[in-house]
Amino acid sequence: MRLVVFDVDGTLVDSQHHIIRAMTAGFAAAGLEPPPRAEILGIVGLSLPVAVAQLLPMADLATQARVVEAYRVSYMQARGERAAPLYPGALDCLDRLSARDDLLLAVATGKSRRGLDAVIAAHGLQGRFVSLQTADGHPSKPHPSMLWQALADAGCEARAALMVGDTSFDIQMARAAGMPGYGVTWGYHPAEALDAAGAALIAEDFHHLTRAIEDWAS
């Protein structure tokens, strides 16, 4: 068996509007001007407290905590109003890969488990993944802890697994776990950053990604 681990935000789900809104609300709650859009999207993939600390390196812990809490509240409100959409082709890719008897699928995301569960429920993705790894129980990406646990859950070795993600953090995490990282161009980090991080492949759309995974699994 082989294992394919997917990131969520920026890879399967286009959550950028929810993220920008929530981070803007978080900064406002602390009386701060929000950073530029590009800076906010640049930290997507990191666990939320780590992301906020990176955006506010000079702020005290209490200020960072206010931003984190307000972000969470705003994101939950946005998610309740409208689920972030899957990228075109994402569901077809997951359906096609999960139908194979030689592949297992998993998730490694900087989201909370509650947030991941909401995504899975909103898009009917139940039953497709053998392992769901979130920020709740692991160090932030690019630490490979989430991938180590996904490998253990699937009973696979790193040489029989790959990571798919849209950020350099995903690629760095994959390399730290001893597996290839496939980058995607429709997410939040540019292709140049994925290449610099050591992506084994950079897919331009889900058709390209699906074929590349099938070739790897053959």
Side-chain angles (χ1 to χ4, degrees):
M1 297 296 293
R2 290 177 178 263
L3 176 67
V4 182
V5 186
F6 285 90
D7 170 56
V8 176
D9 293 317
T11 300
L12 296 177
V13 174
D14 187 5
S15 51
Q16 61 179 300
H17 300 298
H18 287 3
I19 292 168
I20 296 295
R21 168 178 161 173
M23 194 63 76
T24 299
F27 271 66
L32 301 170
E33 287 292 321
R37 180 187 187 89
E39 287 187 23
I40 295 175
L41 294 180
I43 52 79
V44 174
L46 298 174
S47 300
L48 181 57
V50 176
V52 170
Q54 185 163 309
L55 291 172
L56 289 171
M58 303 304 292
D60 57 42
L61 294 179
T63 299
Q64 293 178 9
R66 283 196 294 274
V67 174
V68 167
E69 181 57 28
Y71 178 103
R72 286 177 172 149
V73 171
S74 177
Y75 198 99
M76 287 179 62
Q77 291 174 341
R79 188 176 68 210
E81 294 166 5
R82 179 178 179 271
L86 292 173
Y87 283 103
L91 186 58
D92 289 342
C93 174
L94 294 176
D95 284 345
R96 181 160 173 163
L97 296 179
S98 63
R100 293 178 60 122
D101 60 9
D102 60 344
L103 280 181
L104 298 172
L105 306 184
V107 165
T109 175
K111 301 178 81 66
S112 68
R113 181 56 187 262
R114 180 170 58 181
L116 176 58
D117 287 346
V119 169
I120 289 173
H123 297 293
L125 301 180
Q126 298 90 339
R128 288 174 174 80
F129 305 106
V130 300
S131 182
L132 299 172
Q133 302 305 315
T134 68
D136 292 345
H138 297 281
S140 178
K141 298 177 182 179
H143 192 285
S145 175
M146 285 192 277
L147 293 183
W148 289 339
Q149 187 59 54
L151 290 169
D153 290 348
C156 289
E157 297 182 4
R159 60 184 176 83
L162 67 82
M163 174 73 200
V164 178
D166 70 302
T167 72
S168 56
F169 311 127
D170 297 309
I171 305 304
Q172 292 163 358
M173 179 175 65
R175 289 171 59 85
M179 65 179 69
Y182 283 11
V184 301
T185 60
W186 53 83
Y188 306 143
H189 283 195
E192 294 80 5
L194 300 173
D195 184 58
L201 176 137
I202 300 176
E204 298 177 355
D205 54 38
F206 266 104
H207 177 69
H208 180 194
L209 176 64
T210 304
R211 291 190 62 181
I213 292 173
E214 290 176 334
D215 288 345
W216 166 81
S218 297

